[in-house]
Amino acid sequence: MYYNENTVIYFKGQFVKAADAKTDLYSQSLHYGYAVFEGIRSYPINGGTKMFKGKEHYDRLRHSAALMKMPFTYSTEQLLELTYQVLEKNGFTDAYIRPIVLCSPNMALSKGKECYLAIEAWEWTNGYMSNKMRIMTSSYRRPNADAFHVDAKVSGHYVNSILACQEAKDNGYDEALVLDSNGYVAESSGANIFYENEGVLYTAPKGNILPGITRATVIELCKELNIPIEEKLFTPEEMRGADAGFFCGTAAEVVALSSLDNVVFKKNWEDSLSYVIQQAYKCKVLEKPFQLEQAVA
Ligand code: PMP
């Protein structure tokens, strides 16, 4: 359950009970997937609550809304403030926050006339995903960058994610590796992807992916820790049987992969640079100092 009778959300300019909030069945968002959203994590920091890269997430929400030509006028500062109020009203610290911009009733295929912001949140109890994921190359491709603004986080894009993720689960895997329309590795259904070979990390370049805030954080960490990182196009063949691999995203954080298409990654996870990144990311979000020796066995 994401909410109960006491949960408070921000919706259409006020704080209301989630159970009482109503949306419109004639909305463009429902009919056409014409909505933009974010996924943000907050963590317990120094006895308080802090969103990780909240500004970056709300800048991206505003960017997504602008690309969709939605008349969305909240500033990043207002959005951050409203979100902290939602967290406080619910007494949440370790939480996942889901702001979404919905459009008004309109059956026409024209830009949104009015839009409404909802900020929903729930307590995050998953912790770090400790299991390593078995993934498969999806038969579905990511939306073509000529057909969509792939760097915007738009609800409609996620139908593709549902198809890819469910296909993987139906075939006994944990998740999907989804290629771009040219056959290069793009990302997962809801996370970016890295692989490691001979001391170098690789990730897909911008262009056919949602360039994640976690992905950017991983690249920053690589630079801080002098771990070589390269953004390049690569095929699933190049990735299969590499030393290690991981998914990264706000919800997933840094999650280890055990195999791709049943080909096992070679290195013991704890001996990989990817593991160092996983530990460094944990420290970063919790604002704890990270020492390389912590991670190296
Ligand atoms: N790709 C897709 C398709 C996603 O849904 C997400 C999750 N927002 C990501 C990548 C990772 O983005 P972020 O690190 O900003 O959460």
Side-chain angles (χ1 to χ4, degrees), residues 141-164:
R141 297 282 172 98
R142 288 299 287 162
N144 184 330
D146 294 329
F148 288 96
H149 290 287
V150 293
D151 62 334
K153 202 163 164 61
V154 181
S155 297
H157 297 180
Y158 282 81
V159 177
N160 170 262
S161 296
I162 291 174
L163 291 171

PDB file of all heavy atoms in Angstrom, residues 141-164:
ATOM      1  N   ARG A 141      12.645  -2.337 -27.890  1.00  0.00           N
ATOM      2  CA  ARG A 141      13.658  -1.279 -27.967  1.00  0.00           C
ATOM      3  C   ARG A 141      13.152  -0.042 -27.246  1.00  0.00           C
ATOM      4  O   ARG A 141      11.941   0.156 -27.117  1.00  0.00           O
ATOM      5  CB  ARG A 141      13.938  -0.934 -29.445  1.00  0.00           C
ATOM      6  CG  ARG A 141      14.517  -2.119 -30.241  1.00  0.00           C
ATOM      7  CD  ARG A 141      15.983  -2.293 -29.933  1.00  0.00           C
ATOM      8  NE  ARG A 141      16.544  -3.498 -30.514  1.00  0.00           N
ATOM      9  CZ  ARG A 141      17.238  -3.555 -31.653  1.00  0.00           C
ATOM     10  NH1 ARG A 141      17.410  -2.463 -32.383  1.00  0.00           N
ATOM     11  NH2 ARG A 141      17.744  -4.690 -32.086  1.00  0.00           N
ATOM     12  N   ARG A 142      14.058   0.832 -26.798  1.00  0.00           N
ATOM     13  CA  ARG A 142      13.652   2.089 -26.167  1.00  0.00           C
ATOM     14  C   ARG A 142      12.992   2.981 -27.224  1.00  0.00           C
ATOM     15  O   ARG A 142      13.273   2.862 -28.424  1.00  0.00           O
ATOM     16  CB  ARG A 142      14.870   2.825 -25.583  1.00  0.00           C
ATOM     17  CG  ARG A 142      15.447   2.199 -24.347  1.00  0.00           C
ATOM     18  CD  ARG A 142      14.463   2.138 -23.192  1.00  0.00           C
ATOM     19  NE  ARG A 142      14.209   3.434 -22.586  1.00  0.00           N
ATOM     20  CZ  ARG A 142      13.152   3.697 -21.798  1.00  0.00           C
ATOM     21  NH1 ARG A 142      12.246   2.767 -21.537  1.00  0.00           N
ATOM     22  NH2 ARG A 142      13.001   4.880 -21.258  1.00  0.00           N
ATOM     23  N   PRO A 143      12.134   3.921 -26.779  1.00  0.00           N
ATOM     24  CA  PRO A 143      11.525   4.852 -27.743  1.00  0.00           C
ATOM     25  C   PRO A 143      12.605   5.595 -28.523  1.00  0.00           C
ATOM     26  O   PRO A 143      13.637   5.976 -27.970  1.00  0.00           O
ATOM     27  CB  PRO A 143      10.749   5.817 -26.844  1.00  0.00           C
ATOM     28  CG  PRO A 143      10.518   5.084 -25.569  1.00  0.00           C
ATOM     29  CD  PRO A 143      11.674   4.150 -25.403  1.00  0.00           C
ATOM     30  N   ASN A 144      12.344   5.726 -29.793  1.00  0.00           N
ATOM     31  CA  ASN A 144      13.265   6.410 -30.697  1.00  0.00           C
ATOM     32  C   ASN A 144      13.359   7.900 -30.331  1.00  0.00           C
ATOM     33  O   ASN A 144      12.341   8.560 -30.142  1.00  0.00           O
ATOM     34  CB  ASN A 144      12.694   6.221 -32.102  1.00  0.00           C
ATOM     35  CG  ASN A 144      13.566   6.774 -33.171  1.00  0.00           C
ATOM     36  OD1 ASN A 144      14.294   7.741 -32.957  1.00  0.00           O
ATOM     37  ND2 ASN A 144      13.508   6.156 -34.331  1.00  0.00           N
ATOM     38  N   ALA A 145      14.569   8.403 -30.257  1.00  0.00           N
ATOM     39  CA  ALA A 145      14.768   9.808 -29.862  1.00  0.00           C
ATOM     40  C   ALA A 145      14.185  10.789 -30.881  1.00  0.00           C
ATOM     41  O   ALA A 145      14.021  11.977 -30.580  1.00  0.00           O
ATOM     42  CB  ALA A 145      16.248  10.082 -29.648  1.00  0.00           C
ATOM     43  N   ASP A 146      13.875  10.317 -32.097  1.00  0.00           N
ATOM     44  CA  ASP A 146      13.221  11.194 -33.081  1.00  0.00           C
ATOM     45  C   ASP A 146      11.712  11.242 -32.857  1.00  0.00           C
ATOM     46  O   ASP A 146      11.011  12.058 -33.459  1.00  0.00           O
ATOM     47  CB  ASP A 146      13.475  10.687 -34.516  1.00  0.00           C
ATOM     48  CG  ASP A 146      14.933  10.804 -34.882  1.00  0.00           C
ATOM     49  OD1 ASP A 146      15.597  11.732 -34.379  1.00  0.00           O
ATOM     50  OD2 ASP A 146      15.414   9.953 -35.660  1.00  0.00           O
ATOM     51  N   ALA A 147      11.208  10.340 -32.038  1.00  0.00           N
ATOM     52  CA  ALA A 147       9.761  10.278 -31.830  1.00  0.00           C
ATOM     53  C   ALA A 147       9.353  10.881 -30.488  1.00  0.00           C
ATOM     54  O   ALA A 147       8.195  11.266 -30.303  1.00  0.00           O
ATOM     55  CB  ALA A 147       9.292   8.821 -31.903  1.00  0.00           C
ATOM     56  N   PHE A 148      10.290  10.934 -29.552  1.00  0.00           N
ATOM     57  CA  PHE A 148       9.989  11.411 -28.199  1.00  0.00           C
ATOM     58  C   PHE A 148      11.141  12.267 -27.697  1.00  0.00           C
ATOM     59  O   PHE A 148      12.254  12.170 -28.217  1.00  0.00           O
ATOM     60  CB  PHE A 148       9.850  10.219 -27.228  1.00  0.00           C
ATOM     61  CG  PHE A 148       8.603   9.412 -27.414  1.00  0.00           C
ATOM     62  CD1 PHE A 148       8.605   8.262 -28.189  1.00  0.00           C
ATOM     63  CD2 PHE A 148       7.427   9.799 -26.802  1.00  0.00           C
ATOM     64  CE1 PHE A 148       7.451   7.513 -28.350  1.00  0.00           C
ATOM     65  CE2 PHE A 148       6.262   9.055 -26.949  1.00  0.00           C
ATOM     66  CZ  PHE A 148       6.278   7.913 -27.733  1.00  0.00           C
ATOM     67  N   HIS A 149      10.868  13.032 -26.661  1.00  0.00           N
ATOM     68  CA  HIS A 149      11.966  13.692 -25.945  1.00  0.00           C
ATOM     69  C   HIS A 149      12.422  12.704 -24.880  1.00  0.00           C
ATOM     70  O   HIS A 149      11.866  12.671 -23.782  1.00  0.00           O
ATOM     71  CB  HIS A 149      11.485  14.992 -25.295  1.00  0.00           C
ATOM     72  CG  HIS A 149      11.180  16.050 -26.302  1.00  0.00           C
ATOM     73  ND1 HIS A 149      12.175  16.720 -26.980  1.00  0.00           N
ATOM     74  CD2 HIS A 149      10.014  16.559 -26.746  1.00  0.00           C
ATOM     75  CE1 HIS A 149      11.626  17.595 -27.799  1.00  0.00           C
ATOM     76  NE2 HIS A 149      10.307  17.516 -27.690  1.00  0.00           N
ATOM     77  N   VAL A 150      13.423  11.900 -25.215  1.00  0.00           N
ATOM     78  CA  VAL A 150      13.773  10.810 -24.297  1.00  0.00           C
ATOM     79  C   VAL A 150      14.448  11.300 -23.017  1.00  0.00           C
ATOM     80  O   VAL A 150      14.533  10.565 -22.035  1.00  0.00           O
ATOM     81  CB  VAL A 150      14.655   9.719 -24.970  1.00  0.00           C
ATOM     82  CG1 VAL A 150      13.880   8.980 -26.036  1.00  0.00           C
ATOM     83  CG2 VAL A 150      15.944  10.304 -25.524  1.00  0.00           C
ATOM     84  N   ASP A 151      14.917  12.555 -23.017  1.00  0.00           N
ATOM     85  CA  ASP A 151      15.520  13.065 -21.777  1.00  0.00           C
ATOM     86  C   ASP A 151      14.471  13.690 -20.852  1.00  0.00           C
ATOM     87  O   ASP A 151      14.819  14.227 -19.802  1.00  0.00           O
ATOM     88  CB  ASP A 151      16.656  14.055 -22.072  1.00  0.00           C
ATOM     89  CG  ASP A 151      16.175  15.284 -22.805  1.00  0.00           C
ATOM     90  OD1 ASP A 151      15.136  15.205 -23.507  1.00  0.00           O
ATOM     91  OD2 ASP A 151      16.829  16.338 -22.676  1.00  0.00           O
ATOM     92  N   ALA A 152      13.206  13.615 -21.246  1.00  0.00           N
ATOM     93  CA  ALA A 152      12.125  14.074 -20.358  1.00  0.00           C
ATOM     94  C   ALA A 152      11.518  12.838 -19.688  1.00  0.00           C
ATOM     95  O   ALA A 152      11.477  11.760 -20.284  1.00  0.00           O
ATOM     96  CB  ALA A 152      11.067  14.810 -21.160  1.00  0.00           C
ATOM     97  N   LYS A 153      11.076  13.032 -18.454  1.00  0.00           N
ATOM     98  CA  LYS A 153      10.484  11.900 -17.722  1.00  0.00           C
ATOM     99  C   LYS A 153       8.968  12.003 -17.871  1.00  0.00           C
ATOM    100  O   LYS A 153       8.297  12.681 -17.083  1.00  0.00           O
ATOM    101  CB  LYS A 153      10.944  11.960 -16.261  1.00  0.00           C
ATOM    102  CG  LYS A 153      10.857  10.642 -15.532  1.00  0.00           C
ATOM    103  CD  LYS A 153      11.691  10.672 -14.269  1.00  0.00           C
ATOM    104  CE  LYS A 153      11.347   9.562 -13.306  1.00  0.00           C
ATOM    105  NZ  LYS A 153      11.547   8.206 -13.805  1.00  0.00           N
ATOM    106  N   VAL A 154       8.480  11.363 -18.917  1.00  0.00           N
ATOM    107  CA  VAL A 154       7.072  11.494 -19.317  1.00  0.00           C
ATOM    108  C   VAL A 154       6.352  10.169 -19.062  1.00  0.00           C
ATOM    109  O   VAL A 154       6.868   9.101 -19.409  1.00  0.00           O
ATOM    110  CB  VAL A 154       6.984  11.852 -20.824  1.00  0.00           C
ATOM    111  CG1 VAL A 154       5.541  12.013 -21.264  1.00  0.00           C
ATOM    112  CG2 VAL A 154       7.789  13.110 -21.122  1.00  0.00           C
ATOM    113  N   SER A 155       5.172  10.251 -18.473  1.00  0.00           N
ATOM    114  CA  SER A 155       4.440   9.033 -18.113  1.00  0.00           C
ATOM    115  C   SER A 155       4.295   8.069 -19.288  1.00  0.00           C
ATOM    116  O   SER A 155       4.535   6.874 -19.147  1.00  0.00           O
ATOM    117  CB  SER A 155       3.061   9.401 -17.567  1.00  0.00           C
ATOM    118  OG  SER A 155       3.227  10.156 -16.398  1.00  0.00           O
ATOM    119  N   GLY A 156       3.908   8.579 -20.438  1.00  0.00           N
ATOM    120  CA  GLY A 156       3.654   7.730 -21.600  1.00  0.00           C
ATOM    121  C   GLY A 156       4.854   6.880 -22.005  1.00  0.00           C
ATOM    122  O   GLY A 156       4.685   5.769 -22.543  1.00  0.00           O
ATOM    123  N   HIS A 157       6.058   7.357 -21.737  1.00  0.00           N
ATOM    124  CA  HIS A 157       7.251   6.572 -22.107  1.00  0.00           C
ATOM    125  C   HIS A 157       7.321   5.262 -21.331  1.00  0.00           C
ATOM    126  O   HIS A 157       7.996   4.323 -21.754  1.00  0.00           O
ATOM    127  CB  HIS A 157       8.539   7.341 -21.792  1.00  0.00           C
ATOM    128  CG  HIS A 157       8.699   8.626 -22.562  1.00  0.00           C
ATOM    129  ND1 HIS A 157       9.778   9.438 -22.399  1.00  0.00           N
ATOM    130  CD2 HIS A 157       7.926   9.222 -23.487  1.00  0.00           C
ATOM    131  CE1 HIS A 157       9.664  10.493 -23.181  1.00  0.00           C
ATOM    132  NE2 HIS A 157       8.537  10.382 -23.846  1.00  0.00           N
ATOM    133  N   TYR A 158       6.636   5.226 -20.205  1.00  0.00           N
ATOM    134  CA  TYR A 158       6.789   4.077 -19.309  1.00  0.00           C
ATOM    135  C   TYR A 158       5.959   2.868 -19.724  1.00  0.00           C
ATOM    136  O   TYR A 158       6.100   1.802 -19.133  1.00  0.00           O
ATOM    137  CB  TYR A 158       6.540   4.504 -17.853  1.00  0.00           C
ATOM    138  CG  TYR A 158       7.792   5.218 -17.364  1.00  0.00           C
ATOM    139  CD1 TYR A 158       8.026   6.550 -17.681  1.00  0.00           C
ATOM    140  CD2 TYR A 158       8.776   4.529 -16.682  1.00  0.00           C
ATOM    141  CE1 TYR A 158       9.200   7.183 -17.314  1.00  0.00           C
ATOM    142  CE2 TYR A 158       9.954   5.150 -16.300  1.00  0.00           C
ATOM    143  CZ  TYR A 158      10.157   6.480 -16.624  1.00  0.00           C
ATOM    144  OH  TYR A 158      11.334   7.083 -16.266  1.00  0.00           O
ATOM    145  N   VAL A 159       5.138   3.014 -20.740  1.00  0.00           N
ATOM    146  CA  VAL A 159       4.456   1.827 -21.269  1.00  0.00           C
ATOM    147  C   VAL A 159       5.526   0.910 -21.868  1.00  0.00           C
ATOM    148  O   VAL A 159       5.507  -0.308 -21.697  1.00  0.00           O
ATOM    149  CB  VAL A 159       3.383   2.222 -22.311  1.00  0.00           C
ATOM    150  CG1 VAL A 159       2.738   0.978 -22.892  1.00  0.00           C
ATOM    151  CG2 VAL A 159       2.330   3.110 -21.664  1.00  0.00           C
ATOM    152  N   ASN A 160       6.501   1.504 -22.522  1.00  0.00           N
ATOM    153  CA  ASN A 160       7.630   0.742 -23.056  1.00  0.00           C
ATOM    154  C   ASN A 160       8.378   0.032 -21.917  1.00  0.00           C
ATOM    155  O   ASN A 160       8.763  -1.140 -22.028  1.00  0.00           O
ATOM    156  CB  ASN A 160       8.558   1.706 -23.813  1.00  0.00           C
ATOM    157  CG  ASN A 160       9.873   1.063 -24.209  1.00  0.00           C
ATOM    158  OD1 ASN A 160      10.878   1.226 -23.522  1.00  0.00           O
ATOM    159  ND2 ASN A 160       9.865   0.324 -25.303  1.00  0.00           N
ATOM    160  N   SER A 161       8.552   0.722 -20.797  1.00  0.00           N
ATOM    161  CA  SER A 161       9.252   0.135 -19.643  1.00  0.00           C
ATOM    162  C   SER A 161       8.473  -1.050 -19.067  1.00  0.00           C
ATOM    163  O   SER A 161       9.058  -2.056 -18.677  1.00  0.00           O
ATOM    164  CB  SER A 161       9.445   1.188 -18.549  1.00  0.00           C
ATOM    165  OG  SER A 161      10.277   2.223 -19.011  1.00  0.00           O
ATOM    166  N   ILE A 162       7.154  -0.893 -18.996  1.00  0.00           N
ATOM    167  CA  ILE A 162       6.319  -1.988 -18.461  1.00  0.00           C
ATOM    168  C   ILE A 162       6.456  -3.225 -19.356  1.00  0.00           C
ATOM    169  O   ILE A 162       6.624  -4.347 -18.872  1.00  0.00           O
ATOM    170  CB  ILE A 162       4.842  -1.541 -18.333  1.00  0.00           C
ATOM    171  CG1 ILE A 162       4.704  -0.493 -17.219  1.00  0.00           C
ATOM    172  CG2 ILE A 162       3.925  -2.733 -18.066  1.00  0.00           C
ATOM    173  CD1 ILE A 162       3.321   0.141 -17.097  1.00  0.00           C
ATOM    174  N   LEU A 163       6.410  -3.011 -20.665  1.00  0.00           N
ATOM    175  CA  LEU A 163       6.527  -4.156 -21.585  1.00  0.00           C
ATOM    176  C   LEU A 163       7.863  -4.866 -21.395  1.00  0.00           C
ATOM    177  O   LEU A 163       7.926  -6.090 -21.300  1.00  0.00           O
ATOM    178  CB  LEU A 163       6.388  -3.684 -23.036  1.00  0.00           C
ATOM    179  CG  LEU A 163       4.996  -3.187 -23.436  1.00  0.00           C
ATOM    180  CD1 LEU A 163       5.040  -2.550 -24.826  1.00  0.00           C
ATOM    181  CD2 LEU A 163       3.985  -4.330 -23.409  1.00  0.00           C
ATOM    182  N   ALA A 164       8.940  -4.089 -21.308  1.00  0.00           N
ATOM    183  CA  ALA A 164      10.273  -4.693 -21.200  1.00  0.00           C
ATOM    184  C   ALA A 164      10.454  -5.395 -19.858  1.00  0.00           C
ATOM    185  O   ALA A 164      10.955  -6.522 -19.798  1.00  0.00           O
ATOM    186  CB  ALA A 164      11.338  -3.613 -21.395  1.00  0.00           C
TER     187      ALA A 164
END
